[in-house]
Structures are given as structure tokens and as C-alpha cells.
Amino acid sequence: GAGVSQSPSNKVTEKGKDVELRCDPISGHTALYWYRQRLGQGLEFLIYFQGNSAPDKSGLPSDRFSAERTGESVSTLTIQRTQQEDSAVYLCASSLTWGFGNTIYFGEGSWLTVV
Amino acid sequence: GENVEQHPSTLSVQEGDSAVIKCTYSDSASNYFPWYKQELGKGPQLIIDIRSNVGEKKDQRIAVTLNKTAKHFSLHITETQPEDSAVYFCAAPPSGSRLTFGEGTQLTVNP
């Protein structure tokens, strides 16, 4: 596609439920990133993929968070047993390859509200 | 890991004035410095970037300057317009890892 596509754009879920957030990167981009942004805050790194592998999972805040990527394309971020502090915008981004100087393109984000 | 500090956190200017946002970084190996603009309800968009082999880069009303010795880089917006109002993020990559973003600057351009 023309840009990074994320779905759903908005999600309201009850505390304790699981949610899945989907990201379609720009076609041909091998690197894919997930960031979290709480209201009025900066960008918090969660995880990145090079191809289907995730060399850096250090940003995942707890074992309730997991992510996978298949076919060097679509990625899914899963949050289990959601908590109110999980409420945030989850931003996906992609770049042609991983490494210095590669422009990172962001999607519009998935706005998650846990009630 | 890399530490990127961004100042100010908020900036209010009159239309037509200039705005300057500054970031400092800690990893001397960093060699790529992008700036992103995030409008309300949207994802961040790259507006300009600079690599460490140049000291300044300009694109119309936007410029970025880099001082590798002092480890800081700045975004300059001249002749500001109301549509420049947004949150601006700087970023720097620590050696061998992903981009680390500053905390953001909320720029408000008053008409």
C-alpha cells in the first residue's frame, strides 16, 4: 500500500479482555516497529522486527504484551488481560531496512481505551 | 543506551516569528538525526533529517543544524504559520539500535 496501515483505528475494551492490533507496513519494507504513546507523552519503543524476527523485545512492558510478524509483512501486537494503564495510542512504523539513516514511516495509530 | 533530551516542551510564537527546538544526545556514534511532526490525532511524519557529514540542511522554511562536538541538533522554522502548530519530535539512533525519540515539543503558532 501507499503507507503504513493500522487497524482498528479506535478500540474500546473492557479491563481484562484481550486485544489484537494489526499493522500492514509499506510494501517491501523489511523493518517494522511498534511504539506506544500515552496521551500527551512521547514515543515509547516496544519492539521491532527485521523480517519475521524480533531481535529487540526489550521495550515490551510486561509478559501480557506480545507481537508477531508473518511473511515479512503484517504484524500483530497482542495485549492480554488489558489494564487501564494500557490505554494509549499504539503506533506502527516501517522502514526499508533496519539500521542507520533509514527513514521510518509511521501509521496513524490504533487508539486503545481500556474501561 | 541513547538518551535524547528535547527543549522546550512547549513553545508559543506569533505568526511570522521563528521557532527553534533543540535536542541533545549522548551517544557520539549517532550519525542520523530526523525530526518528526505530529498533528493532533495523526501519526508522526518525517519533515527533515540530517546526517553527521553535514552541519546544516534546509528545506524551504525548515532547517536543521547539527553540532557533533557539542552533541546537539536543532530544528529552525522561519515565518511560522498556524498550520505549523503541532508536536515536534527529534530522534537519534544509538549505535546498533533503533531510534530513540525526544519527549516532544508542543508548538503553538498564534495568528
Side-chain angles (χ1 to χ4, degrees):
Chain A
V4 178
S5 178
Q6 292 189 246
S7 61
S9 54
N10 284 283
K11 175 75 176 178
V12 179
T13 190
E14 292 182 353
K15 179 180 172 181
K17 295 282 179 70
D18 297 352
V19 296
E20 283 190 356
L21 307 176
R22 176 187 168 107
C23 174
D24 279 282
I26 293 172
S27 179
H29 280 197
T30 62
L32 184 148
Y33 314 79
W34 284 99
Y35 285 83
R36 179 169 71 178
Q37 186 176 33
R38 291 199 167 102
L39 190 63
Q41 303 288 310
L43 301 167
E44 178 188 0
F45 170 80
L46 297 179
I47 188 171
Y48 92 91
F49 290 88
Q50 181 60 16
N52 294 331
S53 301
D56 189 352
K57 302 180 183 179
S58 62
L60 292 176
S62 75
D63 59 8
R64 296 186 296 105
F65 287 72
S66 63
E68 65 174 15
R69 188 180 185 195
T70 56
E72 297 196 353
S73 181
V74 173
S75 176
T76 303
L77 177 68
T78 301
I79 309 173
Q80 295 179 308
R81 306 181 302 280
T82 51
Q83 304 294 313
Q84 287 186 330
E85 62 262 27
D86 299 335
S87 295
V89 178
Y90 290 82
L91 291 160
C92 178
S94 70
S95 62
L96 192 59
T97 62
W98 176 85
F100 289 141
N102 281 287
T103 301
I104 293 179
Y105 299 89
F106 283 87
E108 299 288 76
S110 290
W111 294 69
L112 174 66
T113 303
V114 181
V115 296
Chain B
E2 177 69 284
N3 184 37
V4 180
E5 293 189 0
Q6 183 172 346
H7 300 280
S9 56
T10 60
L11 180 59
S12 182
V13 300
Q14 289 299 120
E15 183 176 358
D17 287 351
S18 295
V20 181
I21 304 169
K22 182 176 176 179
C23 283
T24 60
Y25 61 97
S26 59
D27 190 335
S28 56
S30 295
N31 63 2
Y32 172 66
F33 307 93
W35 284 92
Y36 285 80
K37 176 184 180 182
Q38 186 177 29
E39 295 176 337
L40 195 62
K42 298 196 171 185
Q45 282 197 312
L46 178 73
I47 54 170
I48 196 167
D49 57 16
I50 193 169
R51 295 167 199 270
S52 60
N53 57 343
V54 297
E56 182 175 3
K57 183 176 178 181
K58 195 171 183 180
D59 182 3
Q60 299 182 342
R61 296 186 297 107
I62 294 172
V64 55
T65 58
L66 172 65
N67 183 327
K68 286 218 74 178
T69 303
K71 290 193 278 189
H72 67 71
F73 56 110
S74 299
L75 177 71
H76 304 255
I77 306 174
T78 58
E79 301 170 29
T80 52
Q81 300 167 4
E83 52 265 37
D84 295 329
S85 296
V87 179
Y88 291 81
F89 292 96
C90 64
S95 52
S97 188
R98 77 281 180 181
L99 280 180
T100 299
F101 288 85
E103 288 297 307
T105 296
Q106 173 68 63
L107 173 64
T108 303
V109 180
N110 301 301

